[in-house]
């Protein structure tokens, strides 16, 4: 298969998207001055912003995701990846995910919570599309599996939880205070939905990375509810149970993939 001018444009677009993402993260995260992400939107996006917000240390996973995306960007720009079928089919979607990633932080700083929910929902949809497409075409080797499937899987798994937390933060700020009395019931219901989505994703994609990232977020959500504010033992315990179920589903999916290869 021969490379074309479109392949070079795709590689360049991904590089540009990665640069935008990094700049957006720096600006939105307050690297050039201003409030931190936790302080934006009157603290709605902090670990105490809602009953479904993970505790602070959970967000360290962004460092791993950004590192993986940076490594992927360099790798996909190599001449050997120029005419890769996987890159041709999925690369444009990856560029879109990077743009939305950077845009979310800018939106959080300069717009409102509704806008952040719209952007992160779009990001989740794009990442879901990427995961489905990756599942249709087997990785060509360990590097491909790690930098492409692994990084995108972590990104998708974590954004699944981030979307839930973001939406909960918005609803917490807008819905009547009386509904706070039913927070446990609503929180558990949402976590059940997360479990269904995450398990289906793990079994369909046959990838462990999404399950790992989602479970990471769920465990820290449990830590936040069991030992922080707002406190909720029912939500915390449910989050731990869902995290365990998602991990099991991820392992089953991975084992199925290995059996298929044999």
């Amino acid at each position: 298969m021969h490379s074309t001018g479109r392949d070079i444009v795709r590689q360049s677009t991904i590089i540009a998207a990665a640069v935008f993402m990094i700049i957006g993260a720096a600006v939105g995260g307050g690297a050039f001055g201003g409030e931190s992400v936790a302080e934006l939107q009157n603290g709605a996006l902090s670990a105490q912003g809602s009953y479904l917000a993970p505790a602070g240390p959970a967000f360290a996973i962004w460092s791993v995701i950004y590192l993986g995306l940076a490594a992927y960007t360099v790798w996909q720009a190599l001449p050997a990846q120029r005419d890769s079928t996987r890159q041709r089919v999925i690369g444009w979607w990856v560029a879109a995910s990077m743009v939305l990633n950077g845009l979310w932080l800018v939106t959080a700083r300069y717009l409102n919570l509704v806008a952040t929910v719209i952007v992160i929902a779009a990001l989740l949809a794009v990442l879901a599309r990427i995961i489905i497409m990756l599942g249709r075409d087997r990785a060509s080797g360990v590097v491909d599996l790690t930098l492409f499937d692994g990084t995108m899987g972590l990104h998708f798994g974590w954004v699944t939880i981030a979307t839930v937390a973001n939406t909960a933060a918005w609803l917490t700020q807008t819905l009547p205070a009386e509904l706070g009395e039913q927070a446990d019931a609503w929180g558990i219901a949402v976590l059940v939905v997360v479990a269904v989505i995450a398990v289906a994703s793990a079994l369909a994609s046959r990838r462990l990375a999404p399950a790992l990232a989602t479970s990471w977020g769920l465990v820290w959500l449990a830590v936040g509810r069991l030992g922080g504010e707002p406190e909720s033992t029912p939500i915390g315990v449910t989050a731990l149970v869902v995290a365990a179920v998602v991990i099991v589903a991820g392992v089953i999916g991975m084992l199925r993939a290995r059996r298929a290869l044999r």
Side-chain angles (χ1 to χ4, degrees):
M1 190 179 297
H2 299 289
S3 60
T4 65
R6 182 177 171 82
D7 292 322
I8 296 175
V9 171
R10 183 200 69 243
Q11 289 177 309
S12 301
T13 299
I14 292 174
I15 294 172
V19 171
F20 174 81
M21 178 185 68
I22 293 171
I23 293 174
V27 172
F32 302 109
E35 300 172 310
S36 66
V37 175
E39 298 171 317
L40 296 176
Q41 304 294 335
N42 296 318
L45 300 173
S46 70
Q48 295 79 38
S50 76
Y51 280 90
L52 295 176
F59 297 91
I61 195 174
W62 275 123
S63 298
V64 178
I65 293 171
Y66 282 135
L67 181 61
L69 289 172
Y72 162 80
T73 300
V74 173
W75 172 72
Q76 68 82 35
L78 298 176
Q81 298 303 315
R82 188 163 297 160
D83 59 357
S84 163
T85 301
R86 287 186 115 209
Q87 298 299 333
R88 282 178 170 174
V89 174
I90 308 173
W92 298 101
W93 289 95
V94 176
S97 73
M98 290 179 175
V99 170
L100 288 168
N101 185 309
L103 184 61
W104 183 87
L105 280 161
V106 174
T107 301
R109 179 165 293 279
Y110 297 111
L111 296 179
N112 52 42
L113 283 173
V114 176
T116 64
V117 171
I118 293 172
V119 172
I120 203 167
L123 174 58
L124 181 63
V126 169
L127 289 170
R129 176 64 174 166
I130 291 172
I131 293 300
I132 291 171
M133 297 172 81
L134 285 172
R136 294 173 180 170
D137 191 0
R138 193 176 69 187
S140 60
V142 175
V143 176
D144 192 1
L145 185 63
T146 302
L147 295 184
F148 208 176
D149 298 60
T151 298
M152 300 308 153
L154 289 177
H155 201 180
F156 170 68
W158 171 249
V159 170
T160 299
I161 293 298
T163 301
V164 170
N166 197 163
T167 304
W170 167 54
L171 293 176
T172 299
Q173 295 290 313
T174 56
L175 293 179
E178 294 77 27
L179 290 179
E181 298 175 2
Q182 303 168 352
D184 289 347
W186 282 109
I188 291 172
V190 170
L191 290 175
V192 170
V193 174
V194 170
V196 172
I197 294 173
V199 169
S201 167
L203 297 178
S205 68
R206 298 183 179 183
R207 300 289 190 275
L208 181 60
L212 288 175
T214 300
S215 296
W216 167 269
L218 287 166
V219 168
W220 283 107
L221 191 160
V223 170
R225 299 295 71 77
L226 296 175
E229 294 294 335
E231 186 175 358
S232 172
T233 299
I235 291 177
V237 172
T238 302
L240 289 176
V241 172
V242 173
V245 170
V246 171
I247 281 292
V248 170
V251 172
I252 292 173
M254 181 182 64
L255 293 177
R256 284 182 176 179
R258 290 184 176 181
R259 281 198 298 268
L261 289 176
R262 293 171 187 167

